[in-house]
Amino acid sequence: MAGQQFQYDDSGNTFFYFLTSFVGLIVIPATYYFWPRDQNAEQLRLKSLRRVHGRCLWYRLRLMKSQQSIIPTLKKAGLLFGWLVFILLAYKVSKLDREYQEYNPYEVLNLDPDASLSEIKKRYHVLSLKYHPDRRGDEATFMRIAKAYAALTNEQSRSNWINYGNPDGPGATSFGIALPAWIVDQKNSMLVLLVYGLAFMVILPVVVGTWWYRSIRYSGDQILINTTQLFMHFMYKTPNMNMKRLTMVLTAAFEFDPRSNKEATIRPTDNIVVPQLIRELGNINVKKKEPPFCYPYSLKARVLVLAHLARMDVSEELEEDQRFVTRKSPALLQEMINVGCQLTMMANSRGGFHAPRLVTIENCMKLTQMIVQGLQESKSPLLQLPHFEEEHLRFCISKKYKVRTLQDLVSLRDSDRRSMLRFLGEEKYDEVMAVLGSLPHINMDTKLQVLDDEDSNNITAGSIVTVTVTLTRKRMVEVFENEQESSPCPGEEAGNAEEAQGDANKAKTKVWQNKNKGAKKTAKSKKKKLTKKKATPAPTKAKQANGNVAGNVTAPKEEEDDASDRGSESDDGEANKDSGSDREEDSDKQSDKQSDTEADEMAGDDEEEWEALQQSIQRRERALLETKSKVTHPVYSLYFPEEKQEWWWLYIADRRDQTLVSMPYHVCTLKDTEEVELKFPAPSKTGNYQYSVILRSDSYMGLDLIKPLKLYMHEKCAYIINNLLEQFEHARGDSER
């Protein structure tokens, strides 16, 4: 019965196969993931952004980093060395001889395959005299010779050789271990044991433990768990936070504590430089003894954030720390918004405590804008533009121009804008216009409906309301072009002045005629609606039979017939009766046609609703399957130390009650067009509700959008009963016709 044998690699050939495969499995994926991307492409991208973002801090730091960094060179050198080792090992493997050779007794005896039995015996006799151990020959060689002789002369051995390739019959299955034999040699046992113990009992547990200890300290957004708990504590304690309190909570994050984050540093010179900044900033609640606001790391981070918002110059020692604090702040504020949303949902579901007020969450969003732009809340949004200083604002807010926002600056004519910005040179003016033209201009369209319902336009208590918001991003430069195309030139205005005055009366009559046409259209539409309402005779007859409603639907038609009979000049009564009966038939046909058109319209509406539902389901499936890049548009920020992408917050709020209606959705993929669905439960009471759909930027100040949203809540029971009655009346009317 065949057994199993495990053999170590004495020659080392199998070990080279193993080593080549192992190095290939490391080098090939590492090259794909770690090979530095094309530096020329990055340089070209930075060159294309230079005209707009050339003065930004992040742009200048990126250029310096790309010029001074040697990390890409080291990566290339390490990967090239790995490929060199892989190629050498592959070459070594290709030159190795095959260990396995088919057993051939003729080759052992050095005979031709056609040799006769006498020749075999003669050859065996000669070799046995030479290699026999009694004649001081090689015992191993003699054993091979004897085995080959038996394979050619013994019938059983020859049969085994032919069938199994071995004169001894089926042998044991051999498994080669791709490790050299010296590893299991007794002389090297202590060294091998030491290496195994060091690798699997020291290095591996330390690496896994370090990774695990680090991973449990951070959330999914790479925020310290202790920081999240700190934010939750203070937002629960203070639901209504002003901007000063919010800044204190932000800078108390454990990311700025050197004991929790090695990137944060406390320098010996902080005891000298930080108090100087405190004196320049003024009152920043230094004497507040509430922990952790009184800790040195929190005080330093708060001073650096406030100095950044005031655009104050700091020493070179603190400049690096200030960049670290400002770079971490947007992610921390986003975590604070998430914590506020969690507390709001807990308050809505459980109750028992107050949720954070809407002003607290909106202050988090505003503080993010302020940190990215390096501006205080009270400052003008125009200071986001290059070359704008405080003393220049008096030209903008004068009575002649009244420019206070970026939208006001865009709406000016080019001549007025150039006149107002006369304090800028030609190059500076072109740079300001390039930056202003690159800023986003968002159009927001909303659609209110109740999905998965028969009537998606009527909202009842307890239903899930879906607001589909379509965001379209354009650049401000497109607004410039549209205004220039729509506004006539001064020469054209002067040349066409007389024609405009001469055609003033015509223009007035055209406007007057258009108004009459519109009035006629509205009157016709109202008449059509009335006729549609009157064209349902069956339900009214049923109500009249029950005694609830008096009158008859066909009464107006009879009055028309009577009026036509009275107004006719013919003396033939039979002809009048015939004409009356014809009119009644025509009216019946018209009512039937109207009912048919109404049924067709209802069927068409059902088909449209079904198609819209299918399209929304397909959009959801595509959104789940495809992953969009979060690289949208680089933000123009003069004082932010890192390249930031243009993202937005979208949510629905009740500004009267200062509460969130839907949780803020972080729109991170808006390049050109984005469709977002906001869902919230409808109020439990009937009546009118006034909400607001709010879009806030996380990067720019003064570009937020607020759109009103009106809801009318129907009572659910009454709404269901009315729908059932309408369906019953339609069905009964169809059966009677």
Side-chain angles (χ1 to χ4, degrees), residues 455-670:
D455 193 353
S456 61
N457 295 323
N458 289 326
I459 303 172
T460 59
S463 60
I464 302 299
V465 183
T466 301
V467 179
T468 305
V469 183
T470 304
L471 303 174
T472 305
R473 184 197 184 276
K474 296 181 180 179
R475 296 185 302 162
M476 289 284 190
V477 68
E478 298 178 12
V479 180
F480 292 155
E481 294 173 355
N482 293 334
E483 288 182 355
Q484 289 176 0
E485 290 176 359
S486 60
S487 61
C489 298
E492 293 179 357
E493 289 180 354
N496 298 330
E498 294 180 358
E499 295 179 2
Q501 291 178 357
D503 296 339
N505 295 328
K506 294 181 180 180
K508 290 180 180 178
T509 54
K510 286 180 180 178
V511 173
W512 177 76
Q513 289 174 357
N514 289 334
K515 288 182 179 179
N516 279 344
K517 288 179 181 179
K520 290 179 181 178
K521 288 181 180 179
T522 54
K524 289 180 180 179
S525 63
K526 289 181 179 178
K527 288 182 179 179
K528 288 181 180 179
K529 291 180 180 178
L530 290 173
T531 53
K532 286 182 180 179
K533 289 181 179 179
K534 293 176 182 179
T536 56
T540 53
K541 287 180 181 178
K543 290 182 180 179
Q544 186 180 358
N546 294 330
N548 294 330
V549 179
N552 194 357
V553 177
T554 57
K557 295 179 182 178
E558 293 176 357
E559 291 178 358
E560 290 178 0
D561 296 339
D562 294 339
S564 62
D565 292 338
R566 285 194 296 267
S568 62
E569 295 180 356
S570 62
D571 296 332
D572 192 1
E574 294 179 357
N576 290 335
K577 290 181 181 179
D578 295 337
S579 62
S581 62
D582 293 339
R583 290 192 185 94
E584 288 179 358
E585 291 178 358
D586 293 339
S587 64
D588 293 337
K589 291 180 181 179
Q590 288 179 0
S591 63
D592 293 338
K593 288 181 180 179
Q594 287 178 357
S595 61
D596 294 338
T597 54
E598 286 181 358
D600 294 338
E601 289 177 358
M602 291 175 64
D605 294 339
D606 293 339
E607 291 179 358
E608 291 178 358
E609 290 179 0
W610 175 254
E611 291 178 358
L613 180 61
Q614 292 297 321
Q615 290 176 0
S616 65
I617 293 173
Q618 293 176 1
R619 284 197 301 270
R620 292 177 198 169
E621 292 178 351
R622 286 197 300 267
L624 290 174
L625 295 176
E626 65 180 3
T627 56
K628 294 183 179 180
S629 173
K630 292 187 177 182
V631 178
T632 55
H633 301 276
V635 174
Y636 183 84
S637 53
L638 289 170
Y639 297 94
F640 196 69
E642 190 178 48
E643 182 180 4
K644 189 181 181 311
Q645 299 300 317
E646 184 183 293
W647 295 343
W648 305 81
W649 285 294
L650 182 65
Y651 58 99
I652 302 173
D654 188 350
R655 304 189 69 85
R656 186 185 63 180
D657 295 339
Q658 285 293 302
T659 56
L660 280 173
V661 177
S662 72
M663 297 302 108
Y665 181 84
H666 206 188
V667 184
C668 303
T669 56
L670 177 57

Side-chain angles (χ1 to χ4, degrees), residues 103-169:
Y103 182 76
N104 190 351
Y106 290 103
E107 291 181 0
V108 176
L109 298 176
N110 197 11
L111 290 173
D112 294 333
D114 299 333
S116 62
L117 182 61
S118 61
E119 292 176 350
I120 293 171
K121 292 180 178 179
K122 183 178 180 180
R123 185 63 179 168
Y124 172 71
H125 181 70
V126 173
L127 292 176
S128 62
L129 292 176
K130 184 178 179 180
Y131 293 104
H132 199 279
D134 296 340
R135 295 179 177 271
R136 298 179 181 179
D138 188 7
E139 184 178 359
T141 305
F142 180 76
M143 292 299 295
R144 288 198 300 270
I145 293 170
K147 184 177 180 180
Y149 177 73
L152 296 177
T153 56
N154 191 347
E155 293 295 333
Q156 183 66 31
S157 299
R158 188 179 183 87
S159 175
N160 290 335
W161 171 59
I162 294 173
N163 294 327
Y164 304 108
N166 188 2
D168 298 332

Side-chain angles (χ1 to χ4, degrees), residues 15 33 386:
F15 178 69
Y33 285 105

Side-chain angles (χ1 to χ4, degrees), residues 86-103:
F86 178 72
I87 292 172
L88 290 176
L89 289 173
Y91 178 76
K92 176 72 175 177
V93 168
S94 65
K95 295 298 182 181
L96 293 177
D97 294 332
R98 293 179 58 191
E99 283 191 1
Y100 174 76
Q101 295 180 356
E102 186 179 358
Y103 182 76

